[in-house]
Amino acid sequence: MSEAGGGRGCGSSVPQRAPWSLVAATAAFCLVSATSVWTAGAAPMSREERQKLGNQVLEMFDHAYGNYMEHAYPADELMPLTCRGRVRGQEPSRGDVDDALGKFSLTLIDSLDTLVVLNKTKEFEDAVRKVLRDVNLDNDVVVSVFETNIRVLGGLLGGHSLAIMLKEKGEYMQWYNDELLQMAKQLGYKLLPAFNTTSGLPYPRINLKFGIRKPEARTGTETDTCTACAGTLILEFAALSRFTGATIFEEYARKALDFLWEKRQRSSNLVGVTINIHTGDWVRKDSGVGAGIDSYYEYLLKAYVLLGDDSFLERFNTHYDAIMRYISQPPLLLDVHIHKPMLNARTWMDALLAFFPGLQVLKGDIRPAIETHEMLYQVIKKHNFLPEAFTTDFRVHWAQHPLRPEFAESTYFLYKATGDPYYLEVGKTLIENLNKYARVPCGFAAMKDVRTGSHEDRMDSFFLAEMFKYLYLLFADKEDIIFDIEDYIFTTEAHLLPLWLSTTNQSISKKNTTSEYTELDDSNFDWTCPNTQILFPNDPLYAQSIREPLKNVVDKSCPRGIIRVREESFRSGAKPPLRARDFMATNPEHLEILKKMGAASSIDAEDGLRFMQEMIELSSQQQKEQQLPPRAVQIVSHPFFGRVVLTAGPAQFGLDLSKHKETRGFVASSKPYNGCSELTNPEAVMGKIALIQRGQCMFAEKARNIQNAGAIGGIVIDDNEGSSSDTAPLFQMAGDGKDTDDIKIPMLFLFSKEGSIILDAIREYEEVEVLLSDKAKDRAAILKGKMIPSYIINSNPEMENEEQPSSENDSQSAEQITSSSQEVDLVDQGSPEESSLNSQPESLSPADTDNAASVSPSEQISNPMENHETTSLDGECTDLDNQLQEQSETEEDSNPNVSWGKKVQPIDSILADWNEDIEAFEMMEKDEL
Ligand code: DMJ
């Protein structure tokens, strides 16, 4: 696009380093599109292959959208495992996540402009008619202002933008008369009461029908909101104002942004994660580029692109400078404290920050974008998806993955900026993983645990709004899209707004804005607009040369919480700081170091605080290390073929699936169903996996009864109707307090909702075969030896309609499989892990009572799912861990007084000593505000 078309380049009054080469808001705002100059590096991908991948994306979209429309619409979202709509109030509440659901057919609205990008114009026309006919924006439901803005208002505006584009082309949408825009305006007015605060920051939630603070509204008493929640409105609100001429929306969004800018921490120029909407105090003073803040930064830069207002670029550049100074520790991006920005606030990163490399491309800062993207890609290669959170040494911290699009977004932008076909290969991997691990017969299911491959009954609307757009555009040529994508800017939900809005209804742009930039000097703009003519001209291997040193960063190295402050002094021979994991209370040198912390220099004080922080994490980690990770029940028979994976709780007795081969077999219900006495149907469960209902007797007793009847495994299904691992913490089944070594078969636990997926499958298909394992298995391995068309394995779209395997084939191979399942090693050698668990009966349930509801899970169980990985799975960090082990052994050897593992001061008592210090630190932070 040209500047005349809207948007701004560097040709403004803002200090700059180089002219914008191309103002393509879709991607490389500052960059030359290098696709045409690429000559070396990763092998180029042929047009044919790119088209094939594009077609695959189209087929995947059809699978997701088609199932939503067929089985869920007009509900807000599809539940892909149970194949029905998610209607708020009819499902157990999931807390804040549900605030996106307003009974307004969310997924349909969020998908509107994706249909046009994917060249499904006819379907778009139908979808718009449905929105106009069916969607009600006046429901008595409390929704998130942020989510409603980015998904619904953004969706309507994106739909309107492309509807008028199509109308102008003269073929489609000839009947369209701004109806989507009218709906957007109606919704805009519904959101405005949220801004009725003295600060101008919006309340986080609003009742669509009753607004805020009215007794019927059930909202309006909140005091805090996240920075992104208050700072991610300007694109949609300004577009609404400029499309309609009603200036109020842009004014309100600008006011909120002005307030946030005023409240930035003045010495670091960072913002916190949560702010009090009445006082403007920072409630959470940690600062990063991921959850809670992410799109605030994104909207400052994009507001400049869309609205051409220099003040937004100045603010963005000021924050960006602070981010690169404090948060960016390439390839990592680590949260810090806004008042002590040299102090890391966490030792883990969240998945939302994966959008940041894309934003850096828009900014024109390619090198760190390539570095962070590469690091993220390696985490993905290890776990197939980006876990919601992962540590600085790349272990899983929070194992869920709700099919987030941020990494695909950054991949697209990096490809546009560098033209490096490597990024096409990255996109191809994303497609393969989605088809292999997330695709289920009724759509795509979020990953509940990337380590086990288990699913959640959830397909968020952003998956359709964003993922398919970015993936399709990655492989598309200009002529594959029916309009010029470079005439539009992507919102944070990937909705498209036309850049010509910058020259429309501009009258409000400066009204009511506060501005004070005198403190800024040229050094704030060091990162601005590097010119890709300089970056790339004679070196097409540029991106590769940046990735190369990082290529083993995840697999081979496990950075131990990278802290840069003293990098220089390490190099000059000074000792690295004492880390919590190395600390021994019996080591005099360690005690001496500890004494110094907090006493002398500020560096010592920082060491002390970090040490405390690490001790807290270590302490909770050690508690969790007593727990077993979740397991997977994978349905492998027709028509599931491994595509449905259920999260299961392990047992503290029986075969340990993490140490033995998985167990595979057909399922059969035991009689009696509770499995509390000798089975009356041993012939039915012999050689099979028995289903037993929870309750009436101990888990171990059930296991013995089915084992005596010849079962090769057991699945206990919760008797608590409606329970689900979506809403209840998963737990491990305890033994009976006695010796359980006689139980040799594996036992897993499913909540009622997951259990009923198996029970329903039996009702429908009679023969249902499952795999019990520690992690879902690759479908190719599952189907080995079976006559299955390759589309099942590869999910190759063109073959989707081909004949399915006959039931004859199925039963034939079922025999093979049954016999192979009998080869499973049933002899449990016992493990130290189990014996240590069994030796702590006080933490375990004494019995599986028949009154489950009266026993809280926390009383009865330990929770292996609780968000954090506790041990190094998959042999991660082995090399470094070995070195560390060797190192501690050497230390021990050289100091005969040190007895490793004995006499160590309990962590609790160390923490108690430091509580006072932590409080003092917090007080200090508060005073500085
Ligand atoms: C989307 O709704 C938007 O991208 C938002 O900014 C945060 N992330 C989700 C998807 O992960």
Side-chain angles (χ1 to χ4, degrees), residues 110 146-147 150-151 228 232 291 294-296 298-299 351-352 355 388 402-406 409 460-463 465-466 470 491-494:
D110 227 3
F146 166 79
E147 298 290 358
I150 65 168
R151 301 198 204 193
T232 311
D294 47 6
S295 43
Y296 161 65
E298 180 184 358
Y299 270 35
L352 285 163
F355 89 103
E388 278 293 75
L403 308 180
R404 288 198 189 281
E406 283 78 4
E409 174 184 352
D460 288 73
S461 68
F462 52 67
F463 184 56
E466 300 190 59
Y470 289 123
T491 69
T492 192
E493 188 79 356

Side-chain angles (χ1 to χ4, degrees), residues 341-369:
M342 299 304 278
L343 196 63
N344 288 334
R346 283 184 197 165
T347 53
W348 48 273
M349 290 165 273
D350 61 63
L352 285 163
L353 61 74
F355 89 103
F356 199 68
L359 189 65
Q360 289 181 306
V361 168
L362 190 62
K363 153 93 182 142
D365 197 6
I366 308 297
R367 170 182 275 276

